[in-house]
């Protein structure tokens, strides 16, 4: 009997596998992305301390775009601005098990344009 695997479970497996390779330090923290149906979230995390240095989400940001590509671009710019306030210029990008296209790519490109290096 073949067991059907849910999409969310596949994403979790991919994310677990990626986390073995991607880790944030105090010098180069991790930019983690989470994407839901309606919103997109980004966090800058220092994995050595276990602290979230900065975060941004389409829920907190008063944008009307929510979780679409335009909203992801706004969140990318916002997380880059918050990171630079804390003195962070370089990060390691953690796509969270999602494919690097659409909203995830838009967030990453906007963060790069706003001054983050990864």
């Amino acid at each position: 009997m073949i067991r059907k695997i849910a999409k969310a479970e596949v994403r979790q497996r991919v994310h677990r596998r990626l986390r073995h390779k991607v880790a944030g330090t105090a010098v180069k923290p991790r930019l983690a992305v989470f994407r839901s149906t309606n919103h997109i979230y980004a966090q800058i995390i220092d994995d050595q301390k276990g602290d979230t240095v900065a975060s941004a989400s389409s829920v907190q940001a008063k944008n009307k775009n929510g979780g679409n590509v335009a909203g992801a671009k706004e969140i990318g710019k916002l997380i880059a601005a918050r990171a630079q306030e804390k003195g962070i210029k370089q990060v390691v990008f953690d796509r969270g098990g999602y494919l690097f296209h659409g909203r995830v790519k838009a967030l990453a490109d906007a963060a790069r344009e706003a001054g983050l290096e990864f």
Side-chain angles (χ1 to χ4, degrees):
M1 187 158 85
I2 298 174
R3 180 176 161 255
K4 201 168 189 180
I5 301 173
K7 242 184 191 181
E9 190 178 337
V10 170
R11 185 193 73 78
Q12 284 292 332
R13 285 183 183 179
V14 171
H15 189 219
R16 238 179 282 126
R17 197 167 54 235
L18 283 171
R19 287 288 287 118
H20 288 290
K21 300 172 189 173
V22 177
T25 62
V27 177
K28 205 170 180 180
R30 176 171 56 103
L31 172 58
V33 175
F34 177 75
R35 184 186 67 140
S36 71
T37 309
N38 296 321
H39 296 285
I40 192 155
Y41 308 82
Q43 288 183 321
I44 295 182
I45 304 165
D46 178 359
D47 289 318
Q48 290 176 334
K49 289 183 184 174
D51 287 341
T52 299
V53 180
S55 65
S57 72
S58 59
V59 176
Q60 295 169 342
K62 296 171 185 153
N63 62 357
K64 296 171 186 153
N65 298 321
N68 62 14
V69 173
K73 286 179 184 176
E74 288 182 33
I75 298 305
K77 290 174 189 171
L78 184 61
I79 194 70
R82 289 183 180 173
Q84 288 175 346
E85 286 173 11
K86 304 277 181 164
I88 298 168
K89 299 201 183 313
Q90 289 189 326
V91 294
V92 178
F93 190 72
D94 176 12
R95 59 188 173 90
Y98 303 105
L99 293 177
F100 190 77
H101 74 98
R103 293 186 281 164
V104 176
K105 185 173 191 267
L107 188 144
D109 290 342
R112 277 190 189 118
E113 287 174 14
L116 278 183
E117 296 175 17
F118 55 93

